[in-house]
Amino acid sequence: MRVLPCGTTGLLVELDALDDVLALYAALEDDRPAGVLDLVPAARTLLLHLDPETGDAAAVEEAVRAARPRRGPRGARAAGDLVEVPVVYDGEDLEEIGELTGWGADGVVERHTAREWTVAFCGFAPGFGYLVADGDGRRDEWRVPRRSSPRTRVPAGSVALAGEFTGVYPRESPGGWQLLGRTDLPVFDLDRDPPALLVPGARVRFSAVRAGS
């Protein structure tokens, strides 16, 4: 672990792996150090935003180093909200994902809906969560490559895979992830508080539904 200053009101914690980030994030969310306004996880780092009036960088660093990272499934918080995401599994890349994994299209859907997923971090676009499968040994089995040629238009609500992650496109945008299907659930809504539905630490279950249901 390395703890580095980030600007005038931040600390950046560098860690070895995503599981380490999730475990430390869970521990600090459960017992947030005094003066920490926000925690922002990423694939290998955790950013702590400090209150410029009350945040003591030295004291916060000491609290980070003394934290006891929770090693639950994927480091997820036990009390994290559960989000149910209904999906029509008719994505353009579903057959190809079935070939890449060796499971076939039906096997991909069965496994995708059987897992509980955790939002590890957010990025790319507002409301875009990077979800990882819970359970030991689940990371590598979901590792599929991004498309060699990204699409210029991916519809909002598209459910997709890339690397070890699952994601839901919050709005129409270009993208190179492999498309599994689509959901009508709005994962980002500026009229909602908070706007993002898939926030770090949230638990997610996908369920298969028929089109129009």
Side-chain angles (χ1 to χ4, degrees), residues 85-170:
V85 181
V87 180
V88 178
Y89 284 94
D90 61 355
E92 294 178 40
D93 302 316
L94 181 57
E95 294 292 338
E96 183 176 348
I97 294 169
E99 293 177 4
L100 289 168
T101 58
W103 300 333
D106 290 342
V108 170
V109 174
E110 179 181 353
R111 286 167 170 80
H112 197 253
T113 55
R115 296 281 169 262
E116 184 169 284
W117 298 77
T118 297
V119 182
F121 57 92
C122 295
F124 172 62
F128 191 100
Y130 288 72
L131 282 64
V132 288
D134 284 350
D136 294 337
R138 301 305 182 194
R139 174 184 298 180
D140 288 339
E141 72 177 16
W142 285 102
R143 214 176 266 282
V144 298
R146 289 171 169 78
R147 290 175 53 83
S148 57
S149 179
R151 293 180 170 90
T152 58
R153 177 184 174 275
V154 176
S158 294
V159 180
L161 292 174
E164 66 193 272
F165 301 107
T166 286
V168 181
Y169 281 77

Side-chain angles (χ1 to χ4, degrees), residues 34-58:
V36 175
L37 295 177
D38 198 13
L39 300 166
V40 184
R44 298 291 183 273
T45 62
L46 181 63
L47 176 64
L48 286 74
H49 179 208
L50 309 185
D51 187 321
E53 301 295 331
T54 64
D56 182 329

Side-chain angles (χ1 to χ4, degrees), residues 14-36:
E14 294 184 343
L15 296 152
D16 292 333
L18 177 59
D19 284 342
D20 299 325
V21 175
L22 292 174
L24 181 59
Y25 173 76
L28 295 179
E29 273 287 76
D30 286 344
D31 187 15
R32 185 174 293 196
V36 175

